[in-house]
Amino acid sequence: MAEVLGGAAAALDSRPSTRRILGLAVPALGVLAAEPLYLLFDIAVVGHLNALALAGLAVGGLILAQVSTQLTFLSYGTTARASRLHGSGDERGAVEEGVQATFLAAAIGIVLVAAVQVLARPVTSVIAGGHDIAREAESWLRIAVFGAPLILIAMAGNGWMRGVQNTLRPLRFVLAGLGLSALLCPVLVHGLLGAPRLELAGSAVANVAGQVVTATCFVAALVRSGVPMRPRAAVMRAQVVLGRDLILRSLAFQACFLSAAAVASRFGAAAVAAHQVVLQLWNLVALTLDSLAIAAQTLVGAALGAGNAPAAKDLARRLTGWSTVFAAALGAVFALGYGVIPTLFTADTEVQDQTRVIWWFFVAIMPVAGVVFALDGVLLGAGDAAFLRNATLGCAIVGFLPLIWLSLAYDWGLAGIWSGLTVFMVLRMLTVVWRTSSGRWAVTGADIQVGR
């Protein structure tokens, strides 16, 4: 149990040190960044086959990612519940949350495997819009989806381990799995070292093999903890109720960004390419800031679980300040790189020109994002998911979506789309600042009061 928990003594610190906060945030950043970096490697390996295989990977990967993205409550919701129990001193209860989240992940994952096997052909056909690409995507997806239960188990594992303030071991587990995938991918795709040449299917097999390793590590950690490995319906039901709010929040994000991509594509190839470049940079910034949000989530949850609301409020102020300063520094770096960074991604002058149209929107929202991400972490740690759901949906309906579609109607181009993103972020900042200032989120105790 002691090996699994790792940070139990630190959970009761009323004012965690800078070293402690970074000790949580830096490994969390590694976990967040590892998967996108591996996906880039996977794309590079498959890209050396042909354009058709690469298109199939893109479509199949998009479908699998959309499915798993909606279920991040298995990590964030589990962290919120486990961190409170950890802070209250109930270490077994905190790990028990991981056991139940893992059962839930496995059950949902099995359903997803069956559903995707039935729907793979029509879904890939609709998205790909072409016969050859759809066939390639379908073949990849039918294999890769067997990793869905494993992906969800890893989410649950990250969730409970963050809750007990151990972010280093999840990083090791994730790197072990991705390391195996990275070794197998070129071997199986291109038939190296005497292995069969599986081409695109080899990418899917390599992905699943790595996911087996990562999921096994998380399950083994639960087994070694000594907590009974039996399902408890009441706990899983509570996790699903919390997850409902987080799923709706995630769907609001998906609606916004899918709408933005759809409208950008109406403005031509250069516009959509520029939008994609800056959006990927935005995702990189978001991952970086999210690591501090994860530290906020687990530390605030532990403080509230320990009955120390003043410490939770102090953490909210400190981590928001850190995140804002860090985001402003990132904004300064990107502002200085205005003339250089876009050229690293494309030599097309039209795409570069379109990129510069939205560059200053991208830079300007970074300090705003620093506040938003930190306070999202604080409120997630407090289990205030119902408020975050309502706030995100409201900001999307009032701010982002109208400006996106008005941009199409009035031909405002990318400037209109990114104006919508800017308004969305500012509205989110105002709502989370108001909520945090109200103090209504700082409800102490080991149990989360859902829907307050």
Side-chain angles (χ1 to χ4, degrees):
M1 176 73 79
E3 180 190 6
V4 172
L5 298 179
L12 301 179
D13 291 347
S14 61
R15 191 173 174 82
S17 65
T18 299
R19 182 177 181 181
R20 179 65 189 153
I21 293 170
L22 292 178
L24 292 169
V26 173
L29 175 60
V31 172
L32 292 169
E35 182 70 19
L37 290 174
Y38 172 74
L39 291 177
L40 289 174
F41 173 77
D42 193 12
I43 288 169
V45 171
V46 172
H48 282 84
L49 289 173
N50 51 61
L52 181 60
L54 188 56
L57 175 62
V59 171
L62 174 65
I63 295 168
L64 189 60
Q66 290 302 311
V67 168
S68 59
T69 298
Q70 307 312 318
L71 298 169
T72 52
F73 79 90
L74 288 166
S75 54
Y76 290 102
T78 303
T79 296
R81 292 176 57 84
S83 62
R84 278 185 177 255
L85 292 164
H86 181 60
S88 72
D90 184 3
E91 311 299 347
R92 291 182 68 84
V95 181
E96 174 75 9
E97 289 291 331
V99 173
Q100 303 312 313
T102 299
F103 276 117
L104 197 57
I108 295 172
I110 291 169
V111 172
L112 286 177
V113 171
V116 171
Q117 292 298 339
V118 172
L119 299 172
R121 180 162 298 172
V123 171
T124 53
S125 295
V126 168
I127 294 177
H131 304 296
D132 293 339
I133 295 175
R135 276 196 297 270
E136 290 288 310
E138 181 187 344
S139 67
W140 184 91
L141 185 60
R142 287 192 183 280
I143 299 169
V145 75
F146 285 103
L150 308 170
I151 293 169
L152 300 185
I153 287 170
M155 284 185 182
N158 268 292
W160 75 264
M161 282 198 164
R162 290 170 184 169
V164 299
Q165 299 191 14
N166 190 335
T167 56
L168 185 57
R169 293 188 74 205
L171 176 60
R172 293 171 181 160
F173 296 166
V174 169
L175 290 179
L178 291 180
L180 177 62
S181 293
L183 288 173
L184 289 178
C185 188
V187 171
L188 296 178
V189 169
H190 296 289
L192 306 178
L193 304 177
R197 182 183 171 92
L198 301 180
E199 298 194 345
L200 184 56
S203 163
V205 173
N207 286 350
V208 174
Q211 289 152 4
V212 167
V213 170
T214 298
T216 300
C217 288
F218 279 115
V219 172
L222 283 174
V223 172
R224 286 196 299 270
S225 74
V227 171
M229 297 290 291
R230 60 173 180 266
R232 290 178 55 195
V235 176
M236 286 191 279
R237 186 162 50 248
Q239 291 177 341
V240 169
V241 171
L242 180 61
R244 172 200 61 198
D245 294 327
L246 296 176
I247 288 172
L248 289 172
R249 178 173 176 263
S250 179
L251 287 172
F253 287 126
Q254 294 300 319
C256 288
F257 286 103
L258 288 174
S259 295
V263 172
S265 68
R266 268 58 172 189
F267 296 128
V272 74
H275 175 72
Q276 187 65 18
V277 166
V278 181
L279 189 61
Q280 289 307 308
L281 290 172
W282 167 249
N283 289 338
L284 176 63
V285 171
L287 284 174
T288 306
L289 296 176
D290 211 23
S291 63
L292 278 173
I294 286 170
Q297 187 181 1
T298 185
L299 291 169
V300 165
L304 293 174
N308 196 342
K313 293 176 181 178
D314 178 65
L315 279 163
R317 287 189 294 269
R318 288 176 67 199
L319 287 167
T320 302
W322 283 27
S323 183
T324 305
V325 170
F326 183 48
L330 287 175
V333 170
F334 282 104
L336 292 172
Y338 167 73
V340 177
I341 296 175
T343 65
L344 300 177
F345 293 90
T346 178
D348 188 305
T349 56
E350 189 177 353
V351 175
Q352 291 175 10
D353 289 342
Q354 288 287 334
T355 300
R356 293 187 179 106
V357 167
I358 55 178
W359 196 258
W360 296 113
F361 291 100
F362 168 56
V363 170
I365 60 177
M366 283 191 209
V368 176
V371 177
V372 170
F373 278 67
L375 293 182
D376 268 3
V378 168
L379 296 178
L380 282 170
D384 204 7
F387 171 79
L388 288 172
R389 173 202 65 202
N390 293 338
T392 304
L393 286 168
C395 294
I397 293 169
V398 172
F400 203 169
L401 290 172
L403 280 170
I404 289 173
W405 294 108
L406 285 171
S407 297
L408 178 61
Y410 292 99
D411 199 25
W412 291 342
L414 292 184
I417 293 173
W418 279 75
S419 294
L421 176 58
T422 303
V423 171
F424 179 59
M425 291 300 296
V426 170
L427 290 176
R428 286 180 64 199
M429 181 183 71
L430 293 174
T431 58
V432 294
V433 167
W434 170 80
R435 181 66 168 183
T436 308
S437 300
S438 75
R440 293 178 59 190
W441 56 277
V443 179
T444 57
D447 293 325
I448 290 175
Q449 305 299 314
V450 177
R452 65 180 184 275

